[in-house]
Amino acid sequence: MKTEITSLDLLFLCRELQTLVGSRVDKIYRPDGFLFQLHKTGSGKLFLRTEKNAVWLAAAKTETPETPGGLCSTLRKYLEGKKLTSLEQVNGERILKLTFQTQQDTYSLYIELFSNGNIVLADEHGIVKAAQEERAWKDREIKRGKPYALPPAKKNFTQISPADLDSTTPISKHLATLGLGKTYAEELCLRAGTDPTSNSLTENERITLHAYLQKLLKEPISAFAYPDGEITPFALSGKTGTAYPSFSAAIDANLSKSAALTKLEKSRARFDSEKERIQNAITIQERTLTKINEDAAKQQRAGELIYEHYQELKNILDQLHAAKKKHSLQEIAQKLKGHAVIKHVNPKTQEITVEITDD
């Protein structure tokens, strides 16, 4: 995984997260995703962290908002004080199901790690009590008061047979769609000596590849983080990375750091965008103000010129008014062609254009 958990990642994480079974919910917080603070006798405080496409056992509590609101408040209402009795991956999907119980109540929390991610709380009858996102898809609906519906069933990668590895597409691509993801599909082909581009495996090749898959699924956790951002529950062939004591520790140290960096970069991008928008607005306003000042100066000067040449302009108007008594404006316009001061007479609008020299 780099930024989101694959079905195979979740299989390994479920092994680690079994340590949470038997703990009780102390508090639920909402940083970027959700943080479940649990307490287990003999272990003390434990922190289950979720983000859009990831879940892991965090080393410590992160900074959280003082007022949770929304789904976080609802989860607190129904889950705080309750005991986590089971934790499982659903049908090989990227869905983690946590069951919380008291003597009176049972609730299931579904953490969906695909698409935009979702967290759904259901009661003992499977009826949705709350969800991070309520939505209707073509093939399922998540809505309060309705039964929780899983995505359309597909082949569980932990239960595939050699025959399921028969594909007309490149085998690495086929394995990736079965739930392994691109990185682990290529790793499996490398371990099994299978050409990842092959789309016509022989029966023996399928049997060999299947055997290596079964071995991979049972491999002990030996987590690594690599310079390219890849975080894995076991070592990848031919790659050098940093070892961690657990898969969760590797995710906690690298994914959260990467998420924080991504968040910082997004904030910086938003800041730069807003800065550019404001700067553009200032530039436009400065240009507009300059034009207004220039126009105002022109208008002021025009007024001054009228005042300076008031008598001359008055004489022109008086003469034109006198001429209108004997001649039409069309005739006056013809006679005034080439006049030193009166440059144009418009008979239709009765507008006269004069030229005053700004000495």
Side-chain angles (χ1 to χ4, degrees):
M1 63 166 291
K2 284 189 177 180
T3 58
E4 60 182 54
I5 283 174
T6 67
S7 296
L8 182 60
D9 287 320
L10 189 56
L11 175 72
F12 283 89
L13 276 169
C14 272
R15 294 183 199 169
E16 289 190 351
L17 297 178
Q18 293 304 315
T19 188
L20 295 173
V21 174
S23 64
R24 291 188 183 276
V25 180
D26 273 349
K27 207 74 175 176
I28 302 173
Y29 302 96
R30 184 161 192 183
D32 290 334
F34 285 87
L35 179 70
F36 296 81
Q37 179 179 306
L38 304 106
H39 185 274
K40 186 175 184 180
T41 303
S43 300
K45 291 181 180 180
L46 300 168
F47 301 98
L48 179 66
R49 179 79 182 271
T50 76
E51 288 190 2
K52 185 173 72 170
N53 299 121
V55 59
W56 70 95
L57 192 61
K61 178 184 172 184
T62 55
E63 291 185 10
T64 56
E66 293 183 6
T67 54
L71 179 60
C72 189
S73 295
T74 304
L75 294 180
R76 285 184 176 185
K77 174 184 175 181
Y78 286 104
L79 300 182
E80 284 184 359
K82 291 182 172 57
K83 187 176 183 179
L84 177 61
T85 56
S86 70
L87 185 151
E88 61 182 314
Q89 182 178 17
V90 180
N91 299 336
E93 297 274 5
R94 287 184 290 170
I95 302 175
L96 183 65
K97 178 184 178 183
L98 295 87
T99 302
F100 298 90
Q101 291 181 311
T102 62
Q103 289 184 346
Q104 295 79 25
D105 301 309
T106 298
Y107 291 99
S108 296
L109 187 70
Y110 295 89
I111 302 175
E112 300 181 349
L113 301 172
F114 50 85
S115 187
N116 292 323
N118 204 2
I119 292 183
V120 184
L121 178 68
D123 64 16
E124 59 184 339
H125 303 294
I127 303 301
V128 174
K129 302 290 289 184
Q132 185 174 1
E133 180 184 17
E134 293 189 35
R135 183 178 170 187
W137 292 265
K138 180 179 67 173
D139 41 31
R140 68 190 289 242
E141 181 181 26
I142 300 296
K143 189 175 182 180
R144 278 175 291 181
K146 297 286 186 72
Y148 172 71
L150 290 168
K154 61 182 181 181
K155 197 70 177 179
N156 187 332
F157 74 97
T158 64
Q159 299 174 357
I160 61 176
S161 66
D164 294 318
L165 299 177
D166 188 16
S167 173
T168 56
T169 60
I171 186 59
S172 63
K173 185 176 181 180
H174 181 56
L175 289 167
T177 59
L178 287 174
L180 271 68
K182 182 175 181 291
T183 297
Y184 301 134
E186 292 175 349
E187 175 67 17
L188 179 60
C189 288
L190 185 61
R191 293 187 181 191
T194 303
D195 180 2
T197 64
S198 176
N199 58 3
S200 57
L201 298 182
T202 65
E203 182 179 357
N204 285 338
E205 286 175 328
R206 292 196 298 273
I207 291 173
T208 299
L209 187 61
H210 183 264
Y212 272 93
L213 173 60
Q214 298 308 305
K215 185 178 178 181
L216 183 69
L217 297 179
K218 298 174 183 177
E219 187 160 333
I221 295 176
S222 178
F224 281 83
Y226 296 93
D228 62 359
E230 200 70 66
I231 308 168
T232 61
F234 47 75
L236 296 178
S237 302
K239 297 188 72 172
T240 302
T242 302
Y244 286 86
S246 68
F247 194 15
S248 285
I251 295 172
D252 198 36
N254 295 276
L255 183 63
S256 55
K257 186 190 302 181
S258 174
L261 183 60
T262 300
K263 184 177 179 182
L264 178 62
E265 289 174 348
K266 286 182 178 179
S267 296
R268 186 175 294 151
R270 285 195 297 270
F271 172 80
D272 290 341
S273 177
E274 183 65 9
K275 179 182 175 182
E276 183 179 3
R277 185 190 68 79
I278 293 173
Q279 187 59 57
N280 288 339
I282 291 173
T283 301
I284 292 171
Q285 289 173 356
E286 287 176 342
R287 289 174 181 170
T288 302
L289 183 59
T290 299
K291 187 175 185 304
I292 289 172
N293 289 335
E294 290 174 350
D295 290 345
K298 289 178 181 178
Q299 294 298 326
Q300 181 178 354
R301 184 54 189 148
E304 292 172 352
L305 286 171
I306 291 172
Y307 181 78
E308 292 170 5
H309 295 267
Y310 173 77
Q311 192 58 50
E312 180 183 352
L313 294 172
K314 184 177 182 302
N315 292 337
I316 291 173
L317 289 173
D318 290 343
Q319 292 171 14
L320 288 172
H321 282 307
K324 279 180 65 178
K325 293 178 180 179
K326 298 179 180 180
H327 306 283
S328 67
L329 283 176
Q330 287 86 350
E331 293 172 334
I332 293 173
Q334 285 295 113
K335 290 182 178 182
L336 290 177
K337 282 186 177 180
H339 193 279
V341 177
I342 301 174
K343 297 301 181 183
H344 180 67
V345 176
N346 189 330
K348 291 184 179 180
T349 62
Q350 298 188 10
E351 292 179 347
I352 301 168
T353 303
V354 298
E355 183 178 280
I356 301 173
T357 305
D358 187 4
D359 297 328

